[in-house]
């Protein structure tokens, strides 16, 4: 029987060759939002030929002030669009057949204006060219963070239009999918969670009101995308805090997103406030994805500590999620998909220049499998 992980998937209008997705990963290597011709090209190129069915480009700020750091990608200017178009078209020439490319559109809200992780990841200090941040309410992310300005109606409309404008640029660049970032404590998540949204107008208070702005963004972006492009959202399965955002809320959100034409959700969690303990362990967000998939019947992507081929296969074959996204495992080993195919007995296409590493042609390649060391040791006795 063929491995479920390597069966095709329909993601709205998109046909993907398999269930493996390169998760969005900030690289903090852009120049005023523009993709870097060396770093981004090599980063995307390795995943273009990784064999993953879908490669999702990192969180990309729809406004300059919506970037997390000075060096996050953006899609708020003609220069950003031109740089991204140049790099994407270059790496598409390396892509394995059927590989699709998506982009995550984001606004960092009150978590913007921060240092790069390797510089401390703290809010920018007075000598680091900080900028004013915005959020649903004037509540900082944590002690010592910038106090954001609460968006008024005009500000909310501006952000919505910024998402639409960036989505239009993503269409022009040639992406196949747009993913809206509604997780990790960034702006759209800040509207959803009662911890960060304490508004008393129609964008706050009741669960219905807290969903209003993210749904407005989803509806407006869907209207701006052509029918051949998939739209999804990375949502949060839980805030990991009693009395805050729960998986039941996420099921409602997923159902509402589906109703406005969103094709899939990717289920992550956490990040709404500093100091919250997240019980990280292998596959820790998969049960959340399974609940949301069952409760809303939307195509669901699981992510988080999925690192092993058999583990990924069990998630898809067992119906906990339709797809899996991997971040660190693919950074660590961009050939993860090739090796997973080998382990699960699936056939994949190699770039012809590298076809001779296929296990059938070069038994040495199979040494990557732990079982093979055991077999060799046995044979040597
Ligand atoms: C270097 C790095 C950058 C990340 N940047 C993003 C991002 O841009 N958007 C996002 O939603 N998640 C981001 N994440 C989170 C990953 O997409 C993923 O959800 C998380 O790492 C858990 O998956 P993993 O255990 O496979 O790494 C990032 C993770 C890493 C390691």
């Amino acid at each position: 029987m063929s491995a479920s992980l390597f069966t095709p998937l329909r993601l709205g209008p998109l046909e993907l060759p398999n269930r493996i997705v390169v998760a969005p990963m900030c690289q903090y290597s852009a120049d005023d939002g523009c993709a870097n011709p060396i770093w981004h090209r090599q980063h995307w190129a390795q995943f273009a030929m990784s064999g993953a069915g879908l490669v999702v480009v990192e969180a990309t700020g729809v406004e300059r002030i919506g970037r997390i750091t000075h060096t996050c990608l953006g899609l708020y200017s003609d220069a950003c669009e031109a740089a991204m178009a140049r790099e994407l078209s270059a790496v598409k020439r390396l892509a394995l057949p059927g590989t699709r490319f998506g982009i995550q559109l984001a606004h960092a809200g009150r978590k913007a204006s921060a240092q790069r992780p390797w510089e401390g990841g703290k809010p920018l200090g007075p000598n680091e060219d900080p900028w004013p941040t915005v959020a649903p309410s004037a509540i900082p992310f944590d002690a010592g963070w910038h106090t954001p300005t609460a968006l008024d109606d005009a500000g909310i409309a501006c952000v919505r239009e910024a998402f639409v404008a960036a989505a239009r640029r993503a269409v022009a660049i040639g992406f196949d999918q747009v993913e809206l970032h509604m997780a990790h404590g960034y702006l759209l998540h800040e509207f959803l969670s009662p911890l960060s949204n304490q508004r008393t107008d129609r964008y706050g208070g009741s669960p219905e009101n807290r969903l209003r702005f993210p749904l407005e963004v989803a509806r407006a972006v869907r209207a701006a995308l052509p029918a051949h492009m998939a739209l999804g959202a990375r949502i949060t399965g839980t805030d990991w805090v009693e009395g805050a955002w729960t998986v039941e809320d996420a099921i409602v959100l997923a159902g509402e997103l589906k109703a406005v034409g969103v094709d899939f959700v990717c289920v992550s969690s956490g990040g709404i406030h500093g100091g919250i303990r997240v019980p990280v362990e292998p596959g820790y967000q998969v049960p959340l994805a399974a609940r949301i998939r069952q409760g809303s019947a939307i195509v669901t992507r699981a992510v988080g500590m999925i690192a092993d081929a058999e583990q990924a296969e069990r998630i898809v074959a067992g119906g906990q999620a339709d797809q899996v996204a991997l971040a660190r495992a693919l950074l660590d080993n961009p050939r993860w998909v090739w090796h997973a195919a080998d382990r699960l007995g699936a056939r994949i296409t190699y770039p012809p220049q590298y076809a001779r590493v296929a296990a059938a042609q070069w038994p040495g390649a199979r040494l990557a499998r732990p079982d093979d060391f055991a077999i060799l040791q046995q044979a040597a006795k």
Side-chain angles (χ1 to χ4, degrees):
M1 211 176 70
S2 64
S4 302
L5 199 57
F6 286 90
T7 54
L9 175 68
R10 267 213 94 71
L11 199 62
L14 281 191
E15 174 86 12
L16 300 177
N18 59 49
R19 311 298 182 102
I20 304 162
V21 179
V22 179
M25 283 180 270
C26 289
Q27 296 300 293
Y28 313 101
S29 301
D31 177 18
D32 196 357
C34 296
N36 183 284
I38 297 175
W39 188 261
H40 284 101
R41 189 173 297 193
Q42 74 78 26
H43 180 65
W44 298 347
Q46 63 182 331
F47 297 130
M49 48 190 261
S50 69
L54 178 68
V55 180
V56 184
V57 165
E58 70 197 67
T60 299
V62 298
E63 286 190 325
R64 200 160 185 270
I65 64 157
R67 295 171 304 160
I68 307 167
T69 71
H70 281 296
T71 50
C72 284
L73 270 185
L75 209 37
Y76 47 77
S77 71
D78 292 348
C80 294
E81 182 182 329
M84 201 175 269
R86 182 190 65 221
E87 299 315 320
L88 188 73
S89 69
V91 301
K92 273 187 171 178
R93 295 169 60 191
L94 299 169
L96 295 189
T99 306
R100 303 299 195 133
F101 292 86
I103 182 167
Q104 188 184 55
L105 296 182
H107 192 301
R110 67 183 186 174
K111 290 173 85 172
S113 190
Q115 299 164 334
R116 298 196 273 196
W118 57 83
E119 291 161 347
K122 295 195 168 62
L124 290 172
N127 300 325
E128 294 174 299
D129 193 15
W131 63 86
T133 59
V134 295
S137 303
I139 308 167
F141 168 66
D142 204 355
W145 278 74
H146 308 295
T147 300
T149 301
L151 285 164
D152 59 13
D153 276 358
I156 286 176
C158 269
V159 175
R160 187 178 55 236
E161 287 318 303
F163 270 98
V164 170
R168 291 213 174 96
R169 291 186 189 276
V171 178
I173 290 167
F175 283 105
D176 305 298
Q177 179 228 254
V178 164
E179 175 177 313
L180 301 171
H181 203 339
M182 298 192 180
H184 301 174
Y186 298 122
L187 186 67
L188 297 180
H189 182 187
E190 289 161 18
F191 271 85
L192 294 169
S193 173
L195 294 182
S196 42
N197 182 348
Q198 293 179 7
R199 299 176 75 95
T200 51
D201 64 358
R202 64 201 184 100
Y203 291 106
S206 67
E208 191 190 342
N209 279 359
R210 282 184 278 113
L211 260 58
R212 190 180 308 280
F213 182 52
L215 290 176
E216 280 181 8
V217 170
R219 207 179 285 115
V221 169
R222 178 73 271 177
L225 295 181
H228 67 266
M229 278 179 75
L231 175 63
R234 180 170 268 208
I235 64 171
T236 193
T238 172
D239 281 341
W240 301 110
V241 180
E242 197 74 33
W245 181 263
T246 65
V247 69
E248 285 78 21
D249 296 320
I251 292 169
V252 174
L253 172 64
E256 295 288 331
L257 287 169
K258 192 174 179 207
V260 300
V262 170
D263 301 302
F264 70 92
V265 293
C266 178
V267 179
S268 193
S269 72
I272 194 63
H273 201 282
I276 295 170
R277 205 188 72 82
V278 177
V280 177
E281 60 176 17
Y284 68 108
Q285 294 171 153
V286 175
L288 298 168
R291 291 273 309 273
I292 292 165
R293 181 176 187 261
Q294 205 192 12
S296 68
I298 196 168
V299 173
T300 302
R301 184 180 297 165
V303 68
M305 294 281 276
I306 301 169
D308 178 78
E310 281 81 8
Q311 177 197 14
E313 170 64 12
R314 277 195 304 275
I315 292 166
V316 175
Q320 290 177 289
D322 301 282
Q323 290 182 297
V324 290
L326 282 68
R328 287 164 293 182
L330 278 165
L331 272 192
D332 185 40
N333 174 14
R335 305 287 192 246
W336 190 95
V337 182
W338 302 6
H339 299 168
D342 185 29
R343 289 177 75 132
L344 299 173
R347 285 176 66 95
I348 56 156
T349 312
Y350 289 79
Q353 295 92 332
Y354 288 3
R356 289 172 67 183
V357 304
Q361 295 190 35
W362 183 54
R366 298 169 61 86
L367 287 176
R369 293 157 51 149
D371 292 355
D372 290 327
F373 288 107
I375 292 164
L376 282 180
Q377 276 168 357
Q378 195 65 31
K381 277 186 187 160

